[in-house]
Amino acid sequence: MKARNLLITLSTTLMVLFASYGYASVGSSTAEWKYWRTVGQAQLSVLFFDIYQSRLLTPTGVYEQTDDITPHPLALSIHYQRDISRSQLIDATEEQWEKLGYSQSRRKQWLFQLEGIFPDIKKGQRLAYVTDGQTGHFYYQDSGGVEQIGVIEDESLNDAFLAIWLSPQTQYPKLRDQLIGEK
């Protein structure tokens, strides 16, 4: 019985240490988030066109649903299946924010910041957004590797960006359900 209790205590300690490592600062390692567990994944297609595959990751593999869109560290990784220009990304982001009810003045302020971050995307490239729950980092991946391309320090922009996929009011509720593991 003592050996069993010792094993349980050791296992619990290792799980706590592993979980605390996973919750380290978003900026501490550009590759750390890639080792987080997948919560869910989804395919966005419009009519007959595949746009992207998305994947939501967290250190624990669980997305905690609360009133806060980003209550804990998470990463949204998007693998593009077609070319998309920076202006198309900006226009699509604005359209989604408008549908979610964000004011025009806030959208304009946030979009100005994203215009300096978003690249033109080619088929096969990836964008990832990694947040600690308050701030976040954008990563761009092509055949040459992963590169950090921007930082979001405004918590309201952090939440608004992820609300496009994670808000209960998203335009794509089935995609949201798949991402947060509620298939």
Side-chain angles (χ1 to χ4, degrees):
M1 193 66 167
K2 279 186 170 183
R4 184 174 186 270
N5 288 342
L6 180 62
L7 184 60
I8 291 171
T9 302
L10 181 59
S11 296
T12 304
T13 303
L14 289 173
M15 286 174 35
V16 168
L17 287 172
F18 180 75
S20 65
Y21 170 77
Y23 280 89
S25 169
V26 171
S28 66
S29 169
T30 60
E32 180 180 304
W33 63 270
K34 293 191 293 183
Y35 301 105
W36 290 352
R37 295 180 176 172
T38 298
V39 176
Q41 48 196 0
Q43 170 70 50
L44 178 65
S45 299
V46 177
L47 299 174
F48 303 106
F49 302 103
D50 291 336
I51 309 299
Y52 61 72
Q53 293 177 339
S54 54
R55 193 166 58 123
L56 186 67
L57 304 103
T58 67
T60 63
V62 175
Y63 175 72
E64 298 173 26
Q65 294 187 59
T66 68
D67 291 338
D68 183 0
I69 294 292
T70 57
H72 52 74
L74 59 88
L76 178 69
S77 177
I78 300 175
H79 180 212
Y80 288 89
Q81 296 168 299
R82 58 187 313 104
D83 293 356
I84 299 178
S85 70
R86 173 192 333 243
S87 65
Q88 288 173 311
L89 286 173
I90 293 294
D91 291 347
T93 301
E94 181 173 26
E95 179 183 327
Q96 293 304 309
W97 281 341
E98 183 176 7
K99 289 178 180 182
L100 287 167
Y102 292 103
S103 71
Q104 184 177 11
S105 62
R106 293 209 84 179
R107 292 192 319 258
K108 188 175 183 177
Q109 174 189 1
W110 294 336
L111 290 168
F112 178 77
Q113 189 170 353
L114 293 180
E115 285 174 351
I117 296 173
F118 284 170
D120 290 323
I121 299 289
K122 299 290 182 201
K123 180 180 179 178
Q125 295 176 332
R126 298 174 193 263
L127 276 183
Y129 185 72
V130 183
T131 179
D132 62 7
Q134 297 175 345
T135 63
H137 297 254
F138 280 99
Y139 295 94
Y140 169 77
Q141 180 180 2
D142 62 10
S143 59
V146 178
E147 170 186 357
Q148 181 179 309
I149 59 171
V151 177
I152 301 298
E153 294 180 356
D154 176 356
E155 186 174 2
S156 62
L157 172 52
N158 177 70
D159 289 352
F161 182 73
L162 289 165
I164 294 169
W165 294 271
L166 302 178
S167 169
Q169 289 76 41
T170 182
Q171 180 181 357
Y172 304 104
K174 289 180 184 178
L175 186 135
R176 175 189 183 265
D177 289 347
Q178 291 172 351
L179 283 174
I180 65 172
E182 289 193 355
K183 302 175 187 179

